[in-house]
Amino acid sequence: MSKYDAIEKLLNPSSIAVVGASHNVQKHGGRLIEHLLKHQYQGEIYPVNPKGGEIQGLACYKSILDIPKIPDLACLLIAPGLLMEALRDCALKNIKMVMIHASGFAETGKDGEVLQQEIVDFAKEHNIRICGPNTIGIANVNNRVFASFSMAMTSSEIPMGGGISYITQSGAIGGAMLSQGWEKKIGINKWISSGNEADLNASDYLEYAVDDPSTGTVCIFLEGLADGEGFKAALAKAANKKKPVIIYKNGRSDIGQKSVKSHTGVLAGNHDVYKAVFKQFGAVNAEDLDDLFDYAIAFDSPNNLKSSRIGIISTSGGACTIVTDQCVKYGLDVPDISNESIKKLAEMSPEFSTPQNPFDTTAQILNDPGSFKKSLEVFIEDKNIDALVLMLTTIGGTIASKVAEDIIELSKKTEKPMYVAWTIAESLAKDGMNKLREAKIPLYPSAERAVKALAAVQQHMNFLEEWEGKKEEYSSFFFSSSKKEISNS
């Protein structure tokens, strides 16, 4: 089975066998079933446990061989010592896609490497594809597939219809970030914890995501690669399709690289080489962990950036200076607005305000909440401005909701993107903030994070313009079939 078809079965299974199923939802085999049921998985679930009977209201089978149909996916939540027997049963049952959740393989040293290789050899012999081992699972939100024991699956409000795919080589960090992303209504539709990548690897998952029509942006938490050439090929395909790939690479120090090896079994490689490859093939480098989703929501917003000419509106003069300084830091232009715009702002603003870019609406917004909308309309109409950074400070309560609604209304009437930095405690403006998130208006807790995300989009836009002129130069190189560790390529 091709890698693409295997990942298709992994993310869109019509039936799932859960080997190591349990009544106890504190155990991995019980929790995974609970998550499938909680989110109303539409396919068949086949619990497998030698005791048989019934588990969580589902008929339980004593053996994989007793399942009445051939499942698309088998989730193996059993000890390493039981895996070979389970794989043999999968082969006899003609199951072609398995997800191995157990740890204790290449990440533990030579003995674990031998056991992992034994599993890989058997799987290849019987045309079985593997996700893992040492994976905490996958999620496909739109198809209601939550085949994972991660606590992230207990999230009560998971946004539907998102365009972000998230691939992570760290299960625990990946799941934690996923839960935060969903809580903030970030549209993460597909999520893959790749584990040790004994078979299917980050390059394969990236290529799948790039080909997936429902994915617009790809996020990757990357620790190391065994298939550097395949990864470059997938990045090149993403560039050709103009799909942004955002990567946070850890294991940057010598000590950090040893840590990666100790819990994934993968070599981390030289960080400077990774950064050079990211730059060459247009991957967006996330320097900080927060950048990963900060950048993703910027790319996932409905309006596209066309240039670096930024208009700044804030409810504070000091905030105007902060945003301006950040724009200068990241190489973004803060141009003068037109004389016509200056005149309009002067007519609608208090005498003590200064009609310019950046523009301080002053505390007048507390007396006249609609004044922010009027100012924003002026900047939207100004031909010198192509994007807006709006910094709201201590705007809360009903005024916050009103301002958010105005921003959303105007965003639908213009192609100019808007990035909002809102510094008040979320509890004081929760309704307004959630309205912006639901409308996919990029929202950040600080000016620096907002401007940094905007700059990342600008840099990727510049890369795509350059890529059009040079992609043929690399065509034979990055589709090489050789497989090397990226730091040696």
Side-chain angles (χ1 to χ4, degrees):
M1 183 165 53
S2 72
K3 291 180 177 180
Y4 183 92
D5 290 341
I7 299 171
E8 183 70 15
K9 279 188 178 292
L10 175 69
L11 292 172
N12 298 287
S14 61
S15 53
I16 301 174
V18 182
V19 183
S22 175
H23 290 287
N24 186 349
V25 296
Q26 299 305 313
K27 293 184 176 181
H28 294 339
R31 191 178 296 161
L32 190 144
I33 291 177
E34 181 188 38
H35 293 161
L36 289 171
L37 294 173
K38 169 184 170 68
H39 296 290
Q40 301 176 343
Y41 170 63
Q42 298 299 298
E44 298 290 333
I45 304 171
Y46 301 114
V48 178
N49 186 300
K51 296 179 181 178
E54 186 178 282
I55 288 181
Q56 297 188 47
L58 302 169
C60 180
Y61 301 90
K62 294 183 178 181
S63 166
I64 294 170
L65 300 177
D66 295 336
I67 298 173
K69 296 180 181 179
I70 301 174
D72 279 345
L73 172 66
C75 298
L76 308 184
L77 299 108
I78 51 180
L82 301 175
L83 275 173
M84 284 307 302
E85 180 182 354
L87 280 174
R88 291 188 188 100
D89 286 349
C90 286
L92 290 171
K93 193 66 180 177
N94 203 30
I95 297 172
K96 298 301 182 184
M97 183 67 227
V98 303
M99 185 157 52
I100 300 176
H101 298 268
S103 56
F105 295 90
E107 78 280 6
T108 62
K110 290 185 178 180
D111 290 344
E113 288 177 0
V114 171
L115 179 57
Q116 182 166 304
Q117 191 59 50
E118 182 181 356
I119 288 169
V120 170
D121 292 342
F122 180 87
K124 284 182 177 179
E125 182 182 349
H126 294 86
N127 193 27
I128 295 172
R129 306 312 302 236
I130 298 173
C131 174
N134 197 19
T135 172
I136 63 173
I138 62 93
N140 184 349
V141 174
N142 289 350
N143 280 5
R144 298 188 178 279
V145 183
F146 293 81
S148 171
F149 58 81
S150 170
M151 285 295 292
M153 304 301 121
T154 63
S155 300
S156 57
E157 295 184 13
I158 298 174
M160 302 290 291
I164 300 170
S165 284
Y166 174 28
I167 301 160
T168 176
Q169 290 181 323
S170 171
I173 292 177
M177 289 186 64
L178 179 67
S179 68
Q180 289 185 20
W182 279 343
E183 185 176 66
K184 294 178 180 177
K185 304 186 185 300
I186 298 174
I188 303 163
N189 175 35
K190 293 183 176 70
W191 174 73
I192 300 171
S193 163
S194 62
N196 287 9
E197 300 184 357
D199 176 24
L200 297 171
N201 59 46
S203 305
D204 304 322
Y205 297 127
L206 172 58
E207 186 171 11
Y208 177 91
V210 170
D211 286 334
D212 175 30
S214 68
T215 297
T217 302
V218 185
C219 292
I220 305 177
F221 182 98
L222 186 67
E223 302 202 299
L225 289 170
D227 181 8
E229 297 301 311
F231 199 74
K232 292 175 186 176
L235 289 178
K237 181 180 283 191
N240 286 340
K241 293 192 174 187
K242 296 180 169 55
K243 286 191 178 183
V245 179
I246 307 161
I247 304 174
Y248 177 83
K249 171 69 177 69
N250 77 340
R252 304 178 186 187
S253 64
D254 291 343
I255 297 174
Q257 290 171 22
K258 291 179 182 178
S259 175
V260 167
K261 173 66 175 174
S262 71
H263 72 271
T264 65
V266 177
L267 293 172
N270 185 289
H271 186 61
D272 288 337
V273 174
Y274 276 91
K275 287 179 67 176
V277 171
F278 297 166
K279 183 177 180 180
Q280 184 180 18
F281 294 99
V284 181
N285 182 44
E287 286 289 348
D288 301 312
L289 199 52
D290 286 334
D291 293 343
L292 196 63
F293 288 167
D294 279 0
Y295 294 174
I297 61 176
F299 282 108
D300 197 43
S301 61
N303 295 345
N304 295 320
L305 184 67
K306 302 200 184 308
S307 85
S308 61
R309 300 187 304 171
I310 311 302
I312 301 167
I313 306 175
S314 180
T315 56
S316 158
C320 284
T321 304
I322 291 171
V323 178
T324 303
D325 286 346
Q326 292 301 319
C327 286
V328 172
K329 175 181 177 180
Y330 289 104
L332 301 172
D333 185 23
V334 183
D336 292 333
I337 52 177
S338 68
N339 290 332
E340 184 180 357
S341 294
I342 291 173
K343 182 180 178 181
K344 289 179 179 177
L345 290 174
E347 290 174 351
M348 68 176 66
S349 305
E351 292 182 0
F352 51 84
S353 69
T354 304
Q356 62 180 12
N357 183 30
F359 181 61
D360 172 17
T361 64
T362 75
Q364 178 67 16
I365 190 174
L366 299 175
N367 298 320
D368 180 12
S371 62
F372 192 90
K373 179 181 180 181
K374 295 174 184 176
S375 303
L376 183 52
E377 286 174 327
V378 173
F379 273 75
I380 287 172
E381 293 168 2
D382 194 298
K383 294 182 180 180
N384 295 341
I385 302 299
D386 291 306
L388 292 132
V389 177
L390 313 176
M391 188 164 177
L392 307 176
T393 50
T394 53
I395 304 302
T398 57
I399 295 178
S401 299
K402 166 63 176 169
V403 171
E405 290 166 2
D406 290 341
I407 292 171
I408 294 166
E409 177 189 338
L410 294 180
S411 73
K412 295 176 181 178
K413 297 179 180 179
T414 180
E415 294 182 353
K416 297 181 181 181
M418 301 179 195
Y419 293 68
V420 179
W422 209 332
T423 57
I424 198 172
E426 182 154 344
S427 60
L428 301 179
K430 189 172 183 178
D431 180 67
M433 291 183 182
N434 281 338
K435 280 181 165 67
L436 292 179
R437 288 172 178 142
E438 289 168 358
K440 290 191 173 182
I441 305 294
L443 174 65
Y444 304 94
S446 70
E448 180 163 18
R449 287 173 65 174
V451 175
K452 193 177 181 183
L454 196 160
V457 176
Q458 170 72 27
Q459 290 167 10
H460 189 255
M461 183 180 73
N462 293 342
F463 165 80
L464 291 178
E465 291 176 358
E466 295 174 2
W467 179 258
E468 286 301 312
K470 70 178 184 180
K471 62 183 179 182
E472 293 301 323
E473 177 185 346
Y474 294 107
S475 60
S476 61
F477 169 71
F478 50 61
F479 291 109
S480 166
S481 61
S482 64
K483 294 187 176 183
K484 302 176 183 178
E485 207 283 322
I486 197 167
S487 64
N488 295 325
S489 58

